[in-house]
Amino acid sequence: MGEDAAIFVVKTTANQERSVAAMLAQVAKKDNLDIRSIIAPDELKGYVLLESSDSGAVEQAIQTVPHARTVVKGQSSIAEIEHFLTPKPTVTGITEGAIVEVTSGPFKGEKARVKRVDEGHEEITVELFDAVVPIPITIRGDTVRILRKEETNS
């Protein structure tokens, strides 16, 4: 980020963040506006973040973009939004012994107990409850939903 640039927050219609970000990028390119980057973090509903040194360019960009409501007063620094730029491992919060529900794939809807967590590969090994023979299955960490955390390992 340039020393003269700041982060501006644009309020949008809920669930339109990505389309607003895409349209803002097109407008900025077409009109040659000083907008250096645009981010629409999943955790930040109803807002898009823009990096620019010119608040006027941000105001001009949102004029023609549907679902872009207003620029929030004030500016942010890169340090304030840094946590949005760092990807979180999909296995964060999943512990051995936890009870999970598989949310996609051939075992969708099945409940299982976590046997092992591999943070490096972002995978977990689970044993399905309803299986006749307990077979360990390794799946991606983002394909489960935690139902209950458990301290004991069985």
Side-chain angles (χ1 to χ4, degrees), residues 23-39:
M23 287 186 276
L24 283 171
Q26 289 174 344
V27 168
K29 188 174 184 176
K30 180 174 68 82
D31 296 347
N32 203 19
L33 299 174
D34 181 23
I35 294 176
R36 300 170 188 182
S37 60
I38 302 170
I39 181 174

Side-chain angles (χ1 to χ4, degrees), residues 113-127:
R113 180 179 305 275
V114 177
K115 291 297 181 184
R116 194 170 58 82
V117 178
D118 182 348
E119 291 194 13
H121 292 105
E122 296 189 12
E123 294 176 334
I124 59 171
T125 301
V126 298
E127 280 185 3

Side-chain angles (χ1 to χ4, degrees), residues 12-24:
T12 68
T13 305
N15 299 322
Q16 294 294 324
E17 301 87 2
R18 288 186 184 237
S19 62
V20 167
M23 287 186 276
L24 283 171

Side-chain angles (χ1 to χ4, degrees), residues 47-119:
Y47 296 95
V48 174
L49 308 174
L50 284 84
E51 176 189 0
S52 179
S53 60
D54 180 12
S55 62
V58 176
E59 290 281 357
Q60 184 182 339
I62 70 165
Q63 295 302 315
T64 59
V65 175
H67 303 293
R69 297 286 176 238
T70 182
V71 177
V72 176
K73 296 267 185 272
Q75 303 172 0
S76 297
S77 67
I78 198 79
E80 290 178 294
I81 66 155
E82 210 160 15
H83 63 282
F84 292 125
L85 306 175
T86 313
K88 293 173 193 64
T90 57
V91 295
T92 301
I94 301 175
T95 56
E96 288 184 20
I99 308 299
V100 296
E101 179 182 358
V102 181
T103 57
S104 69
F107 302 107
K108 181 177 181 175
E110 296 283 335
K111 291 179 180 41
R113 180 179 305 275
V114 177
K115 291 297 181 184
R116 194 170 58 82
V117 178
D118 182 348
E119 291 194 13

